[in-house]
Coordinates of all heavy atoms in Angstrom, one line a residue:
A9 N -5.5 0.1 -7.0 CA -4.5 1.2 -7.6 C -5.2 2.5 -7.6 O -4.5 3.5 -7.5 CB -4.2 0.8 -9.1
T10 N -6.6 2.5 -7.6 CA -7.3 3.8 -7.5 C -6.9 4.4 -6.2 O -6.8 5.7 -6.0 CB -8.8 3.6 -7.7 OG1 -9.1 3.1 -9.0 CG2 -9.5 4.9 -7.6
A11 N -6.9 3.6 -5.2 CA -6.6 4.1 -3.8 C -5.2 4.8 -3.7 O -5.1 5.8 -3.2 CB -6.8 3.1 -2.7
F12 N -4.2 4.0 -4.1 CA -2.9 4.6 -4.1 C -2.7 5.9 -5.0 O -2.1 6.9 -4.5 CB -1.8 3.6 -4.2 CG -1.4 3.1 -5.6 CD1 -0.9 3.9 -6.6 CD2 -1.6 1.7 -5.8 CE1 -0.6 3.3 -7.9 CE2 -1.3 1.2 -7.1 CZ -0.9 1.9 -8.1
S13 N -3.4 5.9 -6.1 CA -3.2 7.1 -6.9 C -4.0 8.3 -6.3 O -3.5 9.4 -6.4 CB -3.7 6.7 -8.4 OG -5.1 6.5 -8.4
Q14 N -5.1 7.9 -5.8 CA -5.9 9.0 -5.2 C -5.1 9.6 -3.9 O -5.1 10.8 -3.7 CB -7.3 8.5 -4.8 CG -8.1 9.6 -4.2 CD -9.5 9.1 -3.9 OE1 -9.8 8.0 -4.3 NE2 -10.3 9.9 -3.3
F15 N -4.6 8.7 -3.1 CA -3.9 9.1 -2.0 C -2.6 10.0 -2.4 O -2.5 11.1 -1.7 CB -3.4 7.8 -1.2 CG -2.8 8.0 0.2 CD1 -3.7 8.4 1.2 CD2 -1.5 8.1 0.5 CE1 -3.2 8.6 2.5 CE2 -1.0 8.3 1.6 CZ -1.9 8.6 2.7
A16 N -1.9 9.6 -3.4 CA -0.8 10.4 -3.8 C -1.3 11.8 -4.3 O -0.7 12.8 -4.0 CB 0.0 9.8 -4.9
Y17 N -2.3 11.9 -5.1 CA -2.8 13.1 -5.6 C -3.3 14.0 -4.5 O -2.9 15.1 -4.4 CB -3.9 12.9 -6.6 CG -4.3 14.2 -7.3 CD1 -3.6 14.5 -8.5 CD2 -5.3 15.1 -6.8 CE1 -4.0 15.8 -9.1 CE2 -5.5 16.3 -7.4 CZ -4.9 16.5 -8.6 OH -5.2 17.8 -9.2
E18 N -4.0 13.5 -3.5 CA -4.5 14.3 -2.4 C -3.4 14.7 -1.5 O -3.5 15.9 -1.0 CB -5.6 13.6 -1.6 CG -6.9 13.3 -2.4 CD -7.9 12.4 -1.7 OE1 -7.6 11.9 -0.5 OE2 -9.0 12.3 -2.2
Y19 N -2.4 14.0 -1.3 CA -1.2 14.4 -0.6 C -0.5 15.6 -1.2 O -0.4 16.6 -0.5 CB -0.2 13.2 -0.5 CG 1.1 13.7 0.3 CD1 1.2 13.9 1.6 CD2 2.2 13.7 -0.6 CE1 2.4 14.3 2.1 CE2 3.4 14.1 0.0 CZ 3.5 14.4 1.3 OH 4.7 14.8 1.9
Y20 N -0.3 15.5 -2.4 CA 0.5 16.6 -3.1 C -0.5 17.8 -3.4 O 0.1 19.0 -3.5 CB 1.1 16.1 -4.4 CG 2.4 15.4 -4.3 CD1 2.5 14.0 -4.3 CD2 3.5 16.1 -3.9 CE1 3.6 13.2 -4.1 CE2 4.8 15.4 -3.7 CZ 4.8 14.0 -3.8 OH 6.0 13.4 -3.7
D21 N -1.7 17.6 -3.4 CA -2.7 18.8 -3.7 C -3.1 19.5 -2.5 O -3.7 20.4 -2.5 CB -3.8 18.2 -4.4 CG -4.8 19.4 -5.1 OD1 -4.1 20.3 -5.7 OD2 -5.9 19.3 -5.0
D22 N -2.7 19.0 -1.2 CA -3.2 19.5 0.0 C -2.2 20.5 0.5 O -0.9 20.2 0.8 CB -3.3 18.3 1.1 CG -3.8 18.9 2.4 OD1 -3.7 20.0 2.7 OD2 -4.4 18.0 3.2
D23 N -2.5 21.8 0.5 CA -1.6 22.8 0.9 C -1.1 22.7 2.3 O 0.1 23.3 2.6 CB -2.3 24.2 0.8 CG -2.6 24.6 -0.7 OD1 -2.0 24.0 -1.6 OD2 -3.5 25.4 -0.9
T24 N -1.7 22.0 3.2 CA -1.2 21.9 4.5 C -0.1 20.8 4.8 O 0.7 20.9 5.6 CB -2.3 21.7 5.5 OG1 -3.0 20.4 5.2 CG2 -3.3 22.8 5.6
V25 N -0.1 19.8 3.9 CA 0.9 18.8 4.0 C 1.8 18.6 2.9 O 3.0 18.0 2.9 CB 0.3 17.4 4.3 CG1 -0.5 17.4 5.7 CG2 -0.7 16.9 3.2
S26 N 1.5 19.2 1.7 CA 2.4 18.9 0.5 C 3.7 19.5 0.7 O 3.9 20.6 1.2 CB 1.6 19.6 -0.7 OG 2.4 19.5 -1.8
P27 N 4.7 18.8 0.2 CA 6.1 19.2 0.3 C 6.4 20.3 -0.9 O 7.4 20.8 -1.0 CB 6.9 18.1 0.1 CG 6.1 17.1 -0.6 CD 4.6 17.4 -0.3
I28 N 5.5 20.5 -1.8 CA 5.6 21.4 -3.0 C 5.8 22.8 -2.4 O 5.0 23.4 -1.7 CB 4.5 21.3 -3.9 CG1 4.6 19.9 -4.6 CG2 4.7 22.4 -5.1 CD1 3.4 19.6 -5.5
D29 N 7.0 23.5 -2.9 CA 7.2 24.9 -2.5 C 6.9 25.7 -3.8 O 7.7 25.6 -4.8 CB 8.6 25.0 -2.1 CG 9.0 26.4 -1.8 OD1 8.2 27.4 -1.9 OD2 10.1 26.7 -1.4
A30 N 5.8 26.3 -3.9 CA 5.5 27.1 -5.2 C 6.5 28.1 -5.5 O 6.6 28.4 -6.7 CB 4.1 27.8 -5.0
A31 N 7.3 28.5 -4.6 CA 8.3 29.6 -4.8 C 9.6 29.0 -5.4 O 10.4 29.8 -6.0 CB 8.6 30.3 -3.6
S32 N 9.8 27.7 -5.3 CA 11.0 27.0 -5.8 C 10.8 26.7 -7.4 O 9.8 25.9 -7.7 CB 11.3 25.8 -5.0 OG 12.3 25.1 -5.6
T33 N 11.6 27.2 -8.2 CA 11.4 26.9 -9.6 C 12.2 25.7 -10.0 O 11.9 25.1 -11.1 CB 12.0 28.1 -10.5 OG1 13.3 28.3 -10.1 CG2 11.2 29.4 -10.2
C34 N 13.0 25.1 -9.1 CA 13.8 23.9 -9.6 C 13.5 22.7 -8.7 O 14.2 21.7 -8.9 CB 15.3 24.2 -9.4 SG 15.8 24.5 -7.8
Q35 N 12.4 22.8 -7.9 CA 12.1 21.6 -7.1 C 11.5 20.5 -8.0 O 10.6 20.7 -8.9 CB 11.0 22.0 -6.0 CG 10.6 20.9 -5.1 CD 9.6 21.3 -4.1 OE1 9.2 22.5 -4.1 NE2 9.2 20.5 -3.2
L36 N 11.9 19.3 -7.7 CA 11.3 18.1 -8.3 C 10.5 17.3 -7.3 O 11.0 17.2 -6.1 CB 12.5 17.2 -8.9 CG 13.3 17.8 -9.9 CD1 14.5 16.8 -10.2 CD2 12.6 18.1 -11.1
N37 N 9.5 16.8 -7.7 CA 8.6 15.9 -6.8 C 8.2 14.7 -7.5 O 7.8 14.6 -8.6 CB 7.4 16.8 -6.4 CG 7.6 18.0 -5.7 OD1 8.0 17.9 -4.5 ND2 7.5 19.1 -6.3
Y38 N 8.3 13.7 -6.7 CA 8.1 12.2 -7.2 C 7.2 11.5 -6.2 O 7.5 11.7 -5.1 CB 9.5 11.5 -7.4 CG 10.2 11.9 -8.6 CD1 11.1 13.0 -8.5 CD2 10.2 11.2 -9.8 CE1 11.7 13.4 -9.7 CE2 10.9 11.5 -10.9 CZ 11.6 12.6 -10.9 OH 12.3 13.1 -12.0
A39 N 6.4 10.7 -6.8 CA 5.7 9.7 -6.0 C 6.3 8.3 -6.5 O 6.6 8.1 -7.6 CB 4.2 9.6 -6.3
I40 N 6.5 7.4 -5.5 CA 7.0 6.2 -5.8 C 6.0 5.0 -5.5 O 5.6 4.9 -4.3 CB 8.4 5.9 -5.1 CG1 9.4 7.0 -5.4 CG2 9.0 4.5 -5.5 CD1 10.7 7.0 -4.7
V41 N 5.7 4.2 -6.4 CA 4.8 3.1 -6.1 C 5.6 1.8 -6.3 O 6.3 1.6 -7.3 CB 3.7 3.0 -7.3 CG1 2.8 1.8 -7.1 CG2 2.9 4.3 -7.2
I42 N 5.5 1.0 -5.1 CA 6.2 -0.3 -5.1 C 5.2 -1.3 -4.9 O 4.4 -1.1 -4.1 CB 7.3 -0.2 -3.9 CG1 8.3 0.9 -4.1 CG2 8.0 -1.6 -3.9 CD1 9.2 1.1 -2.9
G43 N 5.3 -2.4 -5.7 CA 4.3 -3.4 -5.5 C 4.6 -4.6 -6.5 O 5.7 -4.7 -7.1

């Protein structure tokens, strides 16, 4: 579980790949864990 949680955190925290748009005030972001 540490691997999937770290992978998700690093994905969203990486400015080059993250889908987060800092200029968007209404954007919602979700990670989905299936197992």
Side-chain angles (χ1 to χ4, degrees):
T10 304
F12 71 68
S13 64
Q14 183 176 352
F15 191 76
Y17 189 88
E18 289 175 358
Y19 170 73
Y20 281 104
D21 194 43
D22 185 333
D23 292 336
T24 61
V25 297
S26 177
I28 294 175
D29 178 1
S32 176
T33 59
C34 63
Q35 181 180 3
L36 299 175
N37 294 288
Y38 285 82
I40 301 174
V41 174
I42 302 172

